[in-house]
Amino acid sequence: YPSGNLAIIVTRERDQLICIVQEDEQRTVRIRALFQSDGRSTCYYPNGDEWINMSIQGGQYLDQAGNRVRRWTWPNLSAGPQVPLGPIFISLNRHVGVRILAQDKIFISFLAMGRQAKFNMGTKVQASSASQLPPPARLGEDELLLLAFRVRILQLFDRMRGCLNFPSSEQWNKMQPPTYLMTQAVKILELCMAADISDELRSSIRAIVNA
């Protein structure tokens, strides 16, 4: 961002790419969206509530009250009735926008100081591949909370190291946490979406990892 805060991270996790969009903040690392090359993606409202969720089958668009206002399926990947996708464009903030045109045309655009960068995180998953994918792992409430607190503790330790390295300045408070911690936070949020837990607990876990 023009402020110097990290806006977009693209990292490789084994055989897939992960794109993470962060909010323009110094003291926190709030995730606004994550996109994975295996077809799973999620965008969040500023308060952390789910905005758009996509999988290899299709996606849904939620309003800020949590009501589903749009739903679609990707062509040839769903056994049920086909629900076509109408183009979607949202602005995560004044610099980052997301445009969804098709399964293989999901664009993240970044505009600042007269210059633009664009990433295509869409993917084309074949029906045969989709049928072979294993179901997502489902964890209980206690396991999810333990994972969230573990990441939070590691985040605090990282801040403590920054404070020790820069004891007489504010630089340590502007440092981004290591990429592996952000990746772990993203995975926990994904597990929360797949788990059968209450919205209140899901919001609490989001607050813990994004604190």
Side-chain angles (χ1 to χ4, degrees), residues 4-202:
N5 296 323
L6 192 59
I8 297 175
I9 302 168
V10 179
T11 183
R12 180 174 294 277
E13 180 76 14
R14 295 184 181 178
D15 59 346
Q16 70 170 317
L17 290 175
I18 300 176
C19 177
I20 303 171
V21 180
Q22 299 184 157
E23 189 53 273
D24 186 8
E25 298 172 332
Q26 289 185 353
R27 296 182 177 274
T28 61
V29 185
R30 193 148 43 106
I31 296 173
R32 292 302 312 277
L34 67 97
F35 303 87
Q36 298 180 216
S37 59
D38 65 357
R40 294 177 295 167
S41 303
T42 308
C43 300
Y44 301 96
Y45 284 104
N47 65 355
D49 290 341
E50 184 181 315
W51 194 344
I52 293 177
N53 182 270
M54 292 177 284
S55 68
I56 59 172
Q57 284 80 29
Q60 61 178 359
Y61 184 116
L62 307 175
D63 63 19
Q64 289 188 280
N67 302 309
R68 187 172 66 189
V69 295
R70 295 182 66 176
R71 181 178 66 86
W72 67 91
T73 53
W74 305 122
N76 303 321
L77 283 180
S78 176
Q82 298 293 309
V83 182
L85 165 70
I88 293 175
F89 177 78
I90 63 172
S91 295
L92 297 178
N93 54 39
R94 60 183 297 187
H95 296 291
V96 184
V98 177
R99 187 182 298 272
I100 305 169
L101 304 178
Q103 186 186 28
D104 58 345
K105 296 179 181 179
I106 301 174
F107 299 100
I108 302 98
S109 59
F110 177 81
L111 178 64
M113 298 181 289
R115 304 185 69 179
Q116 185 180 36
K118 184 179 290 186
F119 307 87
N120 184 3
M121 286 300 294
T123 184
K124 202 70 172 179
V125 180
Q126 300 298 323
S128 58
S129 299
S131 63
Q132 296 172 5
L133 289 176
R138 297 181 182 272
L139 300 179
E141 297 181 359
D142 293 340
E143 291 87 351
L144 289 170
L145 280 172
L146 285 173
L147 288 173
F149 279 120
R150 177 182 179 275
V151 168
R152 181 59 183 149
I153 290 170
L154 291 175
Q155 290 171 345
L156 291 174
F157 277 134
D158 185 70
R159 287 194 180 186
M160 288 174 61
R161 283 193 294 269
C163 183
L164 292 173
N165 291 332
F166 302 97
S168 59
S169 72
E170 291 295 325
Q171 293 300 316
W172 65 270
N173 204 29
K174 299 178 182 180
M175 296 176 63
Q176 300 291 334
T179 303
Y180 80 92
L181 282 181
M182 290 186 286
T183 302
Q184 288 185 20
V186 168
K187 288 184 177 180
I188 292 172
L189 294 176
E190 290 178 352
L191 291 172
C192 284
M193 298 309 303
D196 184 17
I197 59 177
S198 66
D199 291 338
E200 182 180 1
L201 179 59
R202 191 175 287 114

